[in-house]
Amino acid sequence: MFGLIDDSIRYKGNQIMDKEKSKKKNYRSLMRNVVLTILLTALTPTLVVSIFILNQFADSYQKKVHDHFTLLARKHKTIIDLFLEEKLMDIRLLASAYRFEELGNESLLNRKLIEIQQAHDRVFVDVGLVNSKGLQIAYAGPHNLTGASYADSEWFKTAINNPYFISDVFKGLRGTPHFIVSVRQEIDGKPWILKSTIDFGEFNILVENLRIGESGFAYILNKKGEFQTSPIAEVKPGILIDHFEKNGILDRPNSILKLKNNDGKELIYNVTSIKKGEWVMVLQQDYDDAFAELKVTQKIAVLIIVVASLCIIASSFILSDILIGRISLADEEKESADKEKEILAQQVIETGKLAAVGELAAGIAHEINNPVAIMIEEAGWIQDLLEEEDLKQSENLEEFYRSLKQINTQGRRCKDITHKLLSFARKTDPRVVQISINDLLKEIVHLSSQRAKYDNIAIHTELEKHLPAISASETEMQQVFLNLVNNAMDAIDKRGGSITLTSKLVGDDLAVMVADNGAGIAEANLSRIFDPFYTTKPVGKGTGLGLSICFGIIKKLGGDIHVRSTKGKGTTFEVRIPVKKEAELPQEDALDTG
Amino acid sequence: MRKNEKRPSTPIRLLLIDDEVDYVNVLSNRLSKRNFDVGKATSGAEAFQMLRKRDFDIAVLDLKMEDMDGIEILKILKKIAPELVVIMLTGHGSAEAAREGIRQGAYDYLTKPCELDELIDKIKEAHGHQPAG
C-alpha cells in the first residue's frame, strides 16, 4: 500500500522532472530561435552593406591608384619621347645644314658640338661622321675615335638602312653605357651617317628621379629585356619581359599588371610603351605600399564590423534572455493560475457532490418523517388508551409504559436523524441575523456544561472582546459550534481533559478555534472528516453528517473550516467567517419549498 | 381572550388535512380524546367539501401533499372560509414554504413530526387569536 503510494509519488516526481526538463528544452529551443532570428535580421544587412561598401571602396581606391600610375606614366612617356625626339631633331638639323665635305672638317664638327652642348646641357657627348663602309671619317668629342670602324656594330647595320635611328643602350667601343642617335644622308648615291652619342647619365635622370610612394620607382627596358636605364639589382628584366609578353601587354600603349616576385611579394606594374614601341617604361611599386591606405581602412572597417557584430550577438543573447525570462515568468503565473483553477474546479465538484448527497438525504428524510410521526403518535395513542381504567390493573402495565417510552425515545432519535439529514441540505431556521459570536459560544458552553461535568471535561474560553457581529443563521451557527464541541468531548476519554474555545479577529475574518487535548485524528483520516457519512465513531454512535453539515454551513457563509490534529495530543478545528457585508448570502437562495 | 374564556366547554372545531391517512387517524383519535372536535380530510378536495358542509375554527394543513400544492390549498381554504385559522405542518427545513404560507394568511407553522403537546399548544394559541366572527 505504502509502497504503491511511494511508487506513485516517485512516478509523479519523475513526471514533474520530465515536464521540467521538456519545459527547459522548449525554452532553450525558443531562445535559440529568437537569437538566430535577431542575428539573421540584424547581422545579415550589416554584413552585406559592409561588404558592399568595402568592395566599392576597394574598387575606387584601386582605380585611383591605377589612375595615378597611368598619369605618371603618360607624363614621363611624353618627357622621354620628347627628349629623344629633340636630340634626333638637333642631329637631323646639323646633317641637313651642312654638306658631307663640310662635316668632314673636324673643327667645324667641334664647333657645332659645343653649340649643341651649350643648348642642351652637355647631353650630347660627341658627334661623328661615318661613311657607308662604317668608317668614322671625322669626330668631335672627348675620345679619340677618328678612324674607328663601326662596320660590324649592330647599330651601324640598322642606322645605314634607316633615315634616322636611335639605338638601344650599349657599351660599345668605350665600355660605358650610352646610346646613339643617327641620321642617314646620301652623296652620289652613297649613304653616310651623322651620329651623336647621348649621355646615359643625363637620360637616366629622367626616370631615375621618379619615385612613387615609399617603394615605387621606374626604369626602361627594351624588348629583349635589357635595361635602358641603370640596372636595378632586385629587378629581373628578362623574366619581367617574358611575363609582359605572356600577358600580351608588351605592344599595348599602357597597361597595369599585378605580379608576384620570387619572394612571394606582390607588386604592381605600369607598363608604357615608348620610343615607338621599341622600349617599355616600367613603373613598379609594392602592392602593399600602393594600397597601404586601403589596407588601413579595410582593417578599421573590419574591426568596426567585428565589434558591431559582437555587440549585435551580445544584445541578441541579452534580449532573448530577458524575453525568455519574461515568458517563463508568465508561463509560471499561468501555471499557478491553472492549478488554482483546478483546485477551484475540484471544490465545485465537491460542493456539487455534497449538494447531491444533500438532496438524496432530504428526500429520504421526508419519506421517513411521516412513518416516524405516525409511529410516535400511535405510541402516544396507546399511552392515551392505557390511561383508561380497565387496563390499569394489568401486571405488565409498567412494562407497557417502559416499552412505549422506548418507542417514543427511538422515534425521537429517528426524528433527530432526519432533522440532521435535512439540515445537511437546508437550514433549520434560515433567518440571517446579526450574531455576537462570543454570546453564542458562551451559550454553547452553557449547553454543554452538563455533559462536560459528567465526562470530567473542563471547557475554557478565550474570547476577544469587541468582536464585530457576523451575519448568519443563529441555529446554524449553534449547530456548527455545538457539533464541534460535541466532537471534542467525544474525542476525550474517560480520564477527562479540556476544551478551549477561542475567538479572535484575523484580518477580515472572525476566527473561532475549538481545541481539545483528546485522542486526535489519524493523518489518513484527516482529509476525509468533512465527507458526508464519514465517521470514526462506532456503528450507531454517529451519523457521519455532523462535520459535513458544519462544512456546508461555513462554506455557504463564504468562510472556511480547517483542522489540525496530532494523534494522541489533540485536535483543533478553526472556523473562519468573513465579517465583510459582501460575504453575506441572500437568504432566499438557500431555501426550498418542501 | 374573552372569547377563550367564554367557551371553555365548547370543543375547538379542528380540521386535519394530510394525505397520510394513518397519521390523520391517529392524530384525530388523540385530539378527540383531548376534547377537540376533529374533522379529517386526506386531500385538498375533501377538505373543501367538508368546509362547505360545516364550520371549523382551525385547520391543521400539511404543506406537502400529493394531489395539490399546500400553498394552493391554503389559498382556496382562505377563500372558502376566510375566518378559518390555518396552522401549517411543514417538512423539516422547508421554512420558506411556511413563510410563503404566512404571507398567504396562515397563522403559523410547525415542523413535522411535531410533538402532540406542541401542536395542542399552538392550536390553543391560535384559537385565542382567532379573528372575531
Side-chain angles (χ1 to χ4, degrees):
Chain A
M1 171 75 185
F2 289 116
L4 269 179
I5 290 171
D6 280 355
D7 280 352
S8 112
I9 289 168
R10 212 170 300 134
Y11 174 65
K12 271 196 176 161
N14 285 346
Q15 262 188 330
I16 290 166
M17 266 163 65
D18 284 351
K19 229 176 167 184
E20 288 292 314
K21 259 186 213 164
S22 85
K23 224 193 287 172
K24 269 185 192 164
K25 212 172 152 191
N26 279 346
Y27 286 141
R28 266 207 299 274
S29 89
L30 185 61
M31 173 108 176
R32 200 172 51 230
N33 289 346
V34 171
V35 168
L36 281 180
T37 309
I38 294 175
L39 286 184
L40 220 66
T41 48
L43 268 189
T44 313
T46 310
L47 290 179
V48 168
V49 167
S50 307
I51 289 166
F52 176 74
I53 289 174
L54 262 182
N55 245 342
Q56 284 293 102
F57 181 73
D59 277 355
S60 51
Y61 194 85
Q62 196 173 5
K63 197 165 172 283
K64 185 197 135 193
V65 170
H66 288 187
D67 285 351
H68 179 63
F69 258 61
T70 311
L71 200 71
L72 270 180
R74 277 210 191 120
K75 198 173 124 196
H76 280 82
K77 173 189 156 75
T78 313
I79 291 168
I80 291 161
D81 277 345
L82 206 66
F83 175 88
L84 296 174
E85 205 68 38
E86 229 176 44
K87 305 310 160 235
L88 185 65
M89 195 61 92
D90 281 338
I91 300 304
R92 277 175 75 184
L93 208 67
L94 194 63
S96 59
Y98 298 94
R99 281 176 285 120
F100 179 72
E101 296 80 23
E102 282 170 327
L103 289 172
N105 180 350
E106 279 193 352
S107 64
L108 174 85
L109 219 50
N110 259 323
R111 234 174 24 246
K112 284 296 151 191
L113 176 65
I114 288 161
E115 266 173 38
I116 53 175
Q117 272 179 344
Q118 274 167 355
H120 290 289
D121 234 3
R122 302 181 58 84
V123 170
F124 291 95
V125 178
D126 57 11
V127 187
L129 186 68
V130 181
N131 67 10
S132 59
K133 296 212 170 94
L135 191 75
Q136 185 155 265
I137 48 179
Y139 174 82
H143 312 287
N144 186 17
L145 290 173
T146 311
S149 171
Y150 296 108
D152 296 328
S153 299
E154 281 298 316
W155 71 266
F156 176 74
K157 285 172 189 166
T158 316
I160 201 74
N161 291 318
N162 289 291
Y164 37 86
F165 168 69
I166 300 167
S167 78
D168 288 348
V169 175
F170 67 104
K171 287 194 174 158
L173 296 172
R174 64 195 82 175
T176 55
H178 63 277
F179 66 93
I180 285 164
V181 179
S182 70
V183 176
R184 186 192 71 176
Q185 298 285 51
E186 274 181 32
I187 180 161
D188 303 332
K190 279 184 183 173
W192 56 272
I193 286 170
L194 183 69
K195 64 123 193 158
S196 173
T197 305
I198 303 292
D199 181 55
F200 176 75
E202 284 299 319
F203 175 70
N204 211 24
I205 282 167
L206 291 179
V207 290
E208 215 174 42
N209 290 340
L210 193 65
R211 282 279 172 267
I212 313 153
E214 279 176 16
S215 62
F217 52 87
Y219 48 87
I220 294 169
L221 303 175
N222 66 8
K223 284 190 173 176
K224 286 181 217 150
E226 291 161 354
F227 276 111
Q228 301 303 304
T229 46
S230 302
I232 296 158
E234 64 195 78
V235 178
K236 306 273 179 291
I239 298 165
L240 215 51
I241 285 295
D242 284 349
H243 275 300
F244 293 161
E245 200 148 25
K246 232 184 274 164
N247 284 294
I249 58 168
L250 211 53
D251 297 320
R252 283 202 225 142
N254 191 307
S255 309
I256 285 173
L257 187 73
K258 198 167 96 177
L259 287 175
K260 260 186 193 168
N261 71 2
N262 292 338
D263 307 335
K265 199 157 56 164
E266 278 192 320
L267 296 165
I268 180 162
Y269 296 97
N270 182 298
V271 185
T272 308
S273 132
I274 53 171
K275 199 182 159 224
K276 297 197 171 74
E278 286 170 34
W279 295 350
V280 285
M281 179 177 67
V282 180
L283 269 59
Q284 162 185 339
Q285 192 179 9
D286 283 2
Y287 186 84
D288 286 346
D289 180 32
F291 290 93
E293 251 178 78
L294 178 66
K295 293 270 154 168
V296 170
T297 310
Q298 272 173 338
K299 269 180 198 161
I300 290 169
V302 167
L303 193 74
I304 288 169
I305 289 166
V306 167
V307 169
S309 299
L310 284 178
C311 282
I312 288 169
I313 290 166
S315 61
S316 81
F317 273 96
I318 292 165
L319 276 179
S320 17
D321 202 50
I322 292 169
L323 198 70
I324 300 301
R326 295 249 167 103
I327 288 172
S328 74
L329 202 70
D331 280 354
E332 268 166 33
E333 273 167 16
K334 192 175 162 279
E335 225 164 72
S336 71
D338 283 352
K339 262 183 203 159
E340 257 169 47
K341 258 189 213 162
E342 214 169 275
I343 291 166
L344 210 64
Q346 245 168 13
Q347 279 176 350
V348 168
I349 290 166
E350 280 304 308
T351 314
K353 222 159 72 185
L354 281 179
V357 172
E359 290 292 317
L360 186 71
I364 293 167
H366 266 298
E367 292 310 313
I368 289 171
N369 253 350
N370 275 332
V372 168
I374 293 165
M375 273 162 57
I376 293 172
E377 291 312 324
E378 291 290 358
W381 178 231
I382 293 171
Q383 210 161 358
D384 287 352
L385 293 178
L386 278 181
E387 300 292 330
E388 286 174 12
E389 65 270 32
D390 46 332
L391 282 167
K392 288 221 167 158
Q393 269 69 44
S394 172
E395 262 180 53
N396 292 323
L397 188 66
E398 282 307 307
E399 199 52 27
F400 273 128
Y401 276 124
R402 194 204 57 78
S403 181
L404 285 172
K405 204 181 164 204
Q406 184 66 275
I407 293 173
N408 207 330
T409 310
Q410 297 309 319
R412 271 167 221 272
R413 212 172 132 192
C414 287
K415 199 178 91 177
D416 283 346
I417 293 170
T418 58
H419 275 205
K420 274 185 183 168
L421 277 167
L422 284 165
S423 299
F424 181 65
R426 297 181 179 86
K427 297 177 180 178
T428 41
D429 186 357
R431 276 170 302 154
V432 171
V433 290
Q434 296 292 303
I435 300 168
S436 156
I437 201 79
N438 287 349
D439 289 349
L440 190 98
L441 292 175
K442 279 178 206 158
E443 205 181 302
I444 282 162
V445 171
H446 180 72
L447 279 172
S448 312
S449 58
Q450 207 60 30
R451 190 188 157 193
K453 211 163 134 189
Y454 179 75
D455 287 346
N456 198 20
I457 295 167
I459 303 182
H460 307 288
T461 52
E462 287 171 16
L463 308 177
E464 194 178 296
K465 282 177 185 168
H466 311 302
L467 288 175
I470 55 161
S471 302
S473 155
E474 192 160 6
T475 52
E476 281 179 356
M477 285 295 104
Q478 247 173 15
Q479 199 180 352
V480 169
F481 293 111
L482 205 54
N483 209 312
L484 293 178
V485 171
N486 277 336
N487 281 346
M489 290 201 282
D490 287 344
I492 294 167
D493 62 18
K494 281 171 192 158
R495 282 171 294 173
S498 72
I499 294 170
T500 308
L501 299 180
T502 314
S503 69
K504 61 181 174 189
L505 200 61
V506 181
D508 285 338
D509 292 346
L510 199 68
V512 178
M513 270 74 78
V514 179
D516 66 66
N517 60 357
I521 304 165
E523 211 177 321
N525 297 334
L526 266 181
S527 61
R528 299 185 57 198
I529 59 165
F530 294 111
D531 290 354
F533 302 110
Y534 179 78
T535 181
T536 54
K537 291 174 186 173
V539 176
K541 283 273 176 172
T543 57
L545 287 172
L547 279 176
S548 68
I549 292 168
C550 293
F551 185 80
I553 290 170
I554 298 302
K555 280 283 169 186
K556 211 160 56 187
L557 285 174
D560 216 342
I561 181 164
H562 288 293
V563 62
R564 289 191 301 275
S565 188
T566 314
K567 190 85 181 151
K569 289 257 172 101
T571 306
T572 302
F573 279 91
E574 182 176 344
V575 175
R576 293 272 189 117
I577 302 163
V579 290
K580 278 192 287 184
K581 287 278 176 217
E582 303 88 78
E584 280 179 31
L585 280 176
Q587 28 177 305
E588 306 293 322
D589 287 1
L591 301 172
D592 195 353
T593 48
Chain B
M1 285 302 271
R2 212 187 294 158
K3 263 184 195 167
N4 217 9
E5 283 161 19
K6 249 186 189 172
R7 33 176 169 169
S9 53
T10 322
I12 297 172
R13 292 167 296 170
L14 204 59
L15 177 58
L16 301 179
I17 313 165
D18 195 323
D19 60 351
E20 196 77 37
V21 184
D22 295 332
Y23 187 65
V24 175
N25 284 339
V26 70
L27 210 57
S28 162
N29 286 344
R30 297 196 75 188
L31 287 166
S32 298
K33 205 171 168 49
R34 282 165 178 76
N35 205 25
F36 286 94
D37 175 5
V38 186
K40 298 181 281 184
T42 54
S43 69
E46 208 182 329
F48 307 146
Q49 255 179 6
M50 289 198 69
L51 267 176
R52 283 192 192 99
K53 273 191 231 159
R54 49 166 294 198
D55 288 338
F56 286 96
D57 299 315
I58 288 165
V60 177
L61 169 65
D62 185 1
L63 278 185
K64 199 181 181 189
M65 290 172 68
E66 274 175 14
D67 69 332
M68 209 186 279
D69 175 36
I71 298 293
E72 289 306 308
I73 296 171
L74 172 68
K75 281 182 191 166
I76 297 165
L77 285 180
K78 289 305 272 187
K79 221 177 265 176
I80 296 170
E83 285 165 21
L84 185 71
V85 180
V86 180
I87 295 166
M88 296 169 292
L89 291 181
T90 69
H92 184 77
S94 310
E96 181 53 26
R99 213 177 300 156
E100 172 62 20
I102 288 166
R103 270 199 286 275
Q104 294 299 332
Y107 173 71
D108 205 350
Y109 70 94
L110 288 171
T111 55
K112 196 179 168 185
C114 63
E115 301 284 328
L116 187 69
D117 292 342
E118 206 184 337
L119 178 63
I120 290 168
D121 284 350
K122 192 58 84 181
I123 290 166
K124 283 181 177 165
E125 181 193 315
H127 190 61
H129 283 84
Q130 193 180 27

